[in-house]
């Protein structure tokens, strides 16, 4: 790339025969520099067509009015809605939002944090990747004096605020709903149970079964990845069981979609013979041949609240150790895939 | 935010009683500084726990190994797949990708370009917003010595490379396909015709009609926004016509989805009475009750090629005026919404 011949503070300092530090301080209106010198520097800078770099300013003032958002995938409606919520809330305050995705890789996550710190963001909002086990890159953010706020997926890191949904409640609600439809052998398609969100959904499922006098059966719990293929594979395995389940609470809409496709191939009638409930309320759940019940995690609100927590912290003059933990309530969207009253209406 | 007490080059210059410029040059291995001084600066910097900021380095070298991507919406599969293509191609070359969205607002687009330039990206990949009429913010990118590459939606700006799809061909293919299904009164749901991509899709539609001896009818062309509501509204208007169309080629999957929903409400049988073809091959088109025909724009490939064009330019020592225009070929995905042979098979 060719040198674009930009005027630097060194060029100004040479012209005026003062130090670069003096020029820099003068341009930043540092009162240590006499007003006469400041004026001289400003006039010369203007003459030489010097443009002060907003970033260079940020390097000094420590405020860039940029924030970073790191998500596993930008193309999940859940994450993109959270980002929209953050943008809507911060935009009027003059903040710009820059986004990175990790594709669920901890290495990438660490690099993205470095990238954002190097671009001098004032804070980072993030949902950790499934493979993240280490917290050093999070403490680094705090050490650099930047704010860090987790949403949805988090680890416990002192000094870090978080906005999450009540995943236990969501698992409980979904399972209790399936029970209310007459289902008695309810399977669970779980995510990686080392991740807090999936653990909580699982625990809510277990708790609902027990509170309704149903005995949890470990053969009915399938660990899946959040994609269609993994859901189809789990459904195939599930259908090989001697005593087949009559419902599944899936911790992912994509896995649930895979199950719907697989079970329909096998001639299973949904919801008559088998009820399915997913998680995240991805838009496709409404458009499916068989609209699918799901949990709405109110992502727009989650983003707005995360942004509000950030603004509170930025505006306060206190130390960085403020911690705020917000837990939102999930909403169950009942659709045809688990609504037997609808199925009966159709029969009549 | 509290001062995190970071050591700066000014602190080092004070300690060594040399100018900040000397410290900076020494840290950047500038050969103008004697090796003795360089060694002294390095040792002192290490002693004082000075950490050279990657960004501050970037300010000097002009290379940050970050690139920016600006899209109208991150949550459209088309755009997120392009971003993934860029990441896949640039990752192995040590580049980090940061993403911004404009929500189709030119003001936001201008701000995002400033934000990215201020974070010292080496180049910007972008698809312009629907409301963009001005090109000053694009020429600014070039003036700052950064690369600019348009994908999909572009304006003609000298010095800017672009990777687009052959939208004329896509419009032609879609319309010719509908004609092959026996449709004779084919409507078109168009986007804003001031935008090149929508103009080309429209022109391909017109050309296919004419080449097949069908007369284009302006009453059959509806300008829509790319969302479900706008598609439903256009379908309602279309269905009020005395001589109703028997097919629609929609320039957007979302608009086509709105039409499917509206026409089904009105009791229209698809594809028997009416054929529909969309645009972008959004994932939901496969999962719909009635899988929808669409145009695949090979977005992953579009992103990869855009990234390759960038790498070629970065690696070349030539001036910035290299311009490369790549036009990719679309793929028509025929599904049930416009496939009458499938419908007939079902009847048998």
């Amino acid at each position: 790339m060719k040198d674009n011949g930009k005027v630097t503070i060194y060029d100004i300092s040479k012209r005026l025969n003062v130090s670069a530090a003096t020029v820099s301080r003068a341009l930043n209106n540092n009162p240590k520099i006499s007003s006469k010198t400041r004026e001289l520097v400003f006039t010369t800078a203007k003459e030489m067509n010097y443009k002060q770099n907003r970033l260079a300013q940020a390097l000094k003032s420590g405020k860039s009015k940029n924030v970073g958002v790191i998500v596993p995938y930008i193309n999940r409606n859940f994450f993109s809605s959270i980002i929209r919520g953050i943008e809507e809330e911060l935009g009027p305050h003059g903040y710009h939002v820059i986004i990175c995705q990790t594709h669920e890789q901890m290495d990438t996550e660490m690099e993205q944090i470095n990238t954002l710190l190097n671009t001098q963001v004032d804070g980072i909002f993030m949902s950790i990747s499934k493979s993240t086990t280490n917290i050093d890159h999070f403490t680094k953010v705090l050490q650099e004096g930047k704010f860090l706020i987790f949403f949805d997926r988090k680890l416990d890191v002192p000094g870090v605020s978080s906005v999450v949904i009540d995943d236990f409640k969501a698992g409980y609600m979904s399972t209790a709903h399936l029970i209310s439809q007459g289902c008695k052998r309810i399977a669970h398609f779980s995510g990686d149970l080392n991740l807090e969100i999936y653990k909580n959904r699982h625990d809510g499922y277990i708790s609902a079964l027990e509170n309704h006098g149903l005995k949890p059966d470990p053969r009915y719990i399938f660990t899946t990845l959040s994609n269609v293929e993994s859901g189809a594979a789990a459904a195939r395995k599930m259908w090989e069981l001697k005593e087949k389940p009559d419902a599944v609470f899936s911790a992912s809409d994509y896995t649930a979609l895979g199950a719907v496709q697989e079970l329909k191939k096998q001639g299973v009638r949904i919801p008559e013979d088998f009820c399915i409930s997913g998680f995240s309320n991805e838009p496709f759940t409404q458009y499916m041949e068989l609209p699918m019940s799901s949990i709405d995690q109110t992502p727009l609100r989650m983003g707005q609240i995360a942004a509000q927590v950030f603004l509170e912290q930025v505006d306060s003059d206190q130390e960085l150790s403020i911690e705020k933990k917000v837990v939102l309530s999930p909403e169950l969207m009942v659709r045809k895939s688990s609504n037997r009253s609808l199925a009966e209406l159709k029969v009549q």
Side-chain angles (χ1 to χ4, degrees), chain A:
Chain A
M1 201 182 295
K2 66 171 178 178
D3 180 15
N4 54 22
K6 240 196 257 170
V7 177
T8 68
I9 55 167
Y10 300 111
D11 300 317
I12 302 170
S13 81
K14 216 184 263 174
R15 168 87 68 97
L16 294 176
N17 203 19
V18 297
S19 75
T22 302
V23 173
S24 165
R25 287 186 189 126
L27 288 172
N28 286 298
N29 278 315
N30 186 319
K32 284 185 189 162
I33 308 296
S34 74
S35 59
K36 204 181 141 193
T37 306
R38 267 188 275 168
E39 207 174 305
L40 183 66
V41 168
F42 271 104
T43 316
T44 311
K46 210 174 163 188
E47 266 174 35
M48 295 176 74
N49 198 25
Y50 169 77
K51 273 186 285 177
Q52 193 166 22
N53 187 302
R54 206 175 82 186
L55 191 65
Q57 278 182 295
L59 282 172
K60 295 194 185 69
S61 74
K63 294 257 179 164
S64 66
K65 284 278 185 177
N66 293 336
V67 298
V69 182
I70 301 178
V71 292
Y73 295 107
I74 53 172
N75 68 345
R76 295 290 163 104
N77 182 64
F78 173 63
F79 291 120
S80 63
S81 299
I82 291 173
I83 293 170
R84 173 143 211 169
I86 294 171
E87 287 175 336
E88 280 180 3
E89 200 70 24
L90 293 187
H93 293 268
Y95 283 93
H96 299 102
V97 175
I98 58 187
I99 307 157
C100 296
Q101 59 182 343
T102 64
H103 300 286
E104 303 284 12
Q105 300 302 312
M106 182 169 75
D107 286 0
T108 308
E109 183 177 284
M110 293 164 79
E111 284 175 21
Q112 305 289 34
I113 283 186
N114 276 331
T115 300
L116 290 175
L117 289 177
N118 282 323
T119 62
Q120 306 294 314
V121 291
D122 295 339
I124 295 177
F125 297 81
M126 68 180 297
S127 212
I128 65 169
S129 90
K130 282 185 184 168
S131 59
T132 298
T133 47
N134 190 306
I135 66 163
D136 292 351
H137 51 307
F138 303 136
T139 49
K140 189 179 168 195
V141 176
L142 302 178
Q143 277 162 6
E144 299 224 350
K146 310 297 184 186
F147 296 103
L148 180 60
I149 292 167
F150 288 137
F151 53 80
D152 194 46
R153 303 190 197 164
K154 66 180 178 69
L155 282 174
D156 282 318
V157 181
V160 180
S161 294
S162 60
V163 183
V164 299
I165 197 153
D166 189 337
D167 283 292
F168 179 93
K169 188 174 172 187
Y172 193 102
M173 285 164 79
S174 301
T175 309
H177 158 66
L178 294 169
I179 295 169
S180 79
Q181 299 298 305
C183 303
K184 294 196 160 35
R185 296 180 306 282
I186 300 170
H188 177 42
F189 288 179
S190 149
D192 180 349
L193 292 179
N194 292 316
L195 224 68
E196 204 174 273
I197 54 167
Y198 293 123
K199 179 74 169 62
N200 289 340
R201 292 172 198 178
H202 166 273
D203 291 353
Y205 155 78
I206 297 288
S207 176
L209 290 179
E210 290 176 341
N211 282 358
H212 290 82
L214 297 171
K215 201 165 167 274
D217 184 336
R219 290 171 307 161
Y220 285 177
I221 298 174
F222 299 84
T223 303
T224 53
L225 300 171
S226 180
N227 62 47
V228 177
E229 298 71 32
S230 179
R236 266 192 301 280
K237 265 209 225 154
M238 178 177 78
W239 223 242
E240 286 165 7
L241 288 174
K242 211 174 152 189
E243 196 174 24
K244 295 182 176 30
D246 55 11
V248 65
F249 157 54
S250 172
S252 147
D253 279 339
Y254 290 91
T255 323
L257 171 61
V260 168
Q261 292 179 342
E262 178 62 27
L263 293 177
K264 283 179 72 175
K265 261 193 228 161
Q266 309 234 13
V268 179
R269 292 178 311 159
I270 301 168
E272 293 85 344
D273 305 332
F274 194 92
C275 290
I276 297 187
S277 192
F279 212 104
S280 279
N281 204 22
E282 287 286 335
F284 72 78
T285 55
Q286 298 173 49
Y287 305 145
M288 285 166 65
E289 176 163 356
L290 188 86
M292 192 165 70
S293 300
S294 195
I295 286 286
D296 192 277
Q297 297 164 280
T298 65
L300 193 70
R301 221 175 126 228
M302 194 181 274
Q304 288 164 340
I305 290 176
Q308 287 162 11
V309 169
F310 167 79
L311 290 172
E312 274 172 31
Q313 301 192 352
V314 165
D315 292 344
S316 91
D317 278 332
Q318 298 173 43
E319 291 293 308
L320 275 178
S321 55
I322 310 173
E323 255 186 65
K324 196 160 181 174
K325 309 278 180 194
V326 182
V327 180
L328 302 174
S329 207
E331 285 174 31
L332 177 64
M333 315 298 287
V334 175
R335 301 198 183 95
K336 195 179 167 191
S337 71
S338 69
N339 192 340
R340 284 181 169 164
S341 63
L342 264 184
E344 281 156 23
L345 278 175
K346 216 179 164 187
V347 170
Q348 288 174 342

